[in-house]
Amino acid sequence: MKARCDGRIVAVAVIVAVGVNGDGRREVLGMAIGASEAETYWTGFLRTLARRGLRGVKLVVSDAHQGLKVAVAKVLNASWQRCRIHFMRNVLAHAGKQGRRVVSAFIGTAFAQNDADTARAQWRQVADQLRQRVKKLAEFMDEAETDVLAYMSFPAAHRPKLHSTNPIERLNGEIKRRTQVVGIFPNEEAITRLVGAILLEQNDEWAVQRARYMTLETIAPLSEDLILKLPAVAA
């Protein structure tokens, strides 16, 4: 976003973190504004969340920000999932116009597997099949295997909500829609007030929704909260 700073108009990065808590409900974890999306920026942001009490993070899903990936390992000690949709866009750029459909179908067979081991095996098989014709694409798959398939280690019921950044894209879209009306903000505080209001509104909406984003039955085994129990079933 653009804001005025010392008489100049500068571009600033606004980052938002959204999570699923131990009750299976989504909530906004925080936001920050900075001059860039470098590793130091991500590290500072995650440390702020940790100081506020963020614990037990199992997986962080984002697009391929190398600085964020390093910060996640350093601060949260959590696995990192590279957004599958962003990855596929990068892959298809190596495949050429005529080969995109075939390559997409090949890689999709790995995502269709039932467990992590068979998904990795299929992934490597597809990479080997492509290696002779498109060496760069195969090497790209080799490097990304662990990050793109990280979500396969989680319960099958969670995987559709973990393999990409789609759950936060709608929120990002609403933020962009409301901030584009302003254009240039008078200062960073003005950005915080507007974006913060949007996030509070969304957080309240998630809190009162009847349906949980993830059910207690599937999320309880992942929780580090020993007090968390499933609802008792009447005899």
Side-chain angles (χ1 to χ4, degrees), residues 3-231:
R4 297 186 184 276
C5 179
D6 298 329
R8 297 179 296 113
I9 297 176
V10 297
V12 296
V14 180
I15 56 176
V16 175
V18 171
V20 180
N21 60 30
D23 291 330
R25 297 188 182 278
R26 284 181 290 177
E27 63 176 277
V28 176
L29 302 178
M31 65 163 288
I33 301 174
S36 68
E37 294 182 84
E39 177 188 338
T40 52
Y41 179 36
W42 289 111
T43 300
F45 176 60
L46 295 181
R47 283 176 175 166
T48 299
L49 297 182
R51 284 195 296 269
R52 289 173 47 210
L54 182 63
R55 297 289 185 275
V57 178
K58 303 295 184 182
L59 183 71
V60 176
V61 187
S62 74
D63 49 4
H65 285 293
Q66 188 60 32
L68 174 57
K69 183 179 179 181
V70 174
V72 166
K74 184 186 301 183
V75 180
L76 300 179
N77 192 30
S79 300
W80 178 65
Q81 166 67 38
R82 181 174 183 172
C83 175
R84 201 172 82 182
I85 295 176
H86 286 85
F87 168 78
M88 289 301 298
R89 290 173 185 167
N90 296 334
V91 163
L92 297 181
H94 292 281
K97 292 183 178 180
Q98 296 182 349
R100 288 178 181 177
R101 184 172 298 178
V102 175
V103 169
S104 180
F106 272 11
I107 297 177
T109 60
F111 300 141
Q113 303 304 312
N114 294 325
D115 57 72
D117 291 337
T118 55
R120 295 189 187 101
Q122 181 65 18
W123 183 275
R124 288 189 288 271
Q125 183 177 343
V126 171
D128 291 339
Q129 290 176 345
L130 296 172
R131 201 172 303 278
Q132 293 182 350
R133 294 186 177 182
V134 194
K135 184 178 179 181
K136 288 186 177 180
L137 176 55
E139 292 174 348
F140 189 50
M141 290 184 63
D142 292 339
E143 296 174 0
E145 176 185 340
T146 302
D147 299 332
V148 177
L149 296 178
Y151 76 102
M152 290 296 295
S153 300
F154 289 79
H158 296 176
R159 292 172 193 168
K161 299 169 182 176
L162 296 178
H163 67 68
S164 73
T165 57
N166 278 354
I168 200 174
E169 291 299 338
R170 181 176 296 180
L171 177 58
N172 284 342
E174 179 62 16
I175 292 173
K176 291 177 181 178
R177 186 184 70 83
R178 305 260 295 264
T179 55
Q180 283 175 351
V181 177
V182 178
I184 300 174
F185 287 83
N187 48 50
E188 291 186 3
E189 289 75 13
I191 297 178
T192 300
R193 284 193 293 270
L194 178 55
V195 177
I198 298 170
L199 296 178
L200 285 171
E201 180 181 315
Q202 181 62 80
N203 192 76
D204 291 343
E205 182 179 330
W206 285 338
V208 298
Q209 285 180 342
R210 291 189 61 185
R212 299 174 191 270
Y213 190 65
M214 295 179 178
T215 64
L216 281 174
E217 289 80 1
T218 59
I219 205 169
L222 301 175
S223 177
E224 295 181 354
D225 186 359
L226 300 180
I227 301 178
L228 179 64
K229 297 180 181 179
L230 298 180

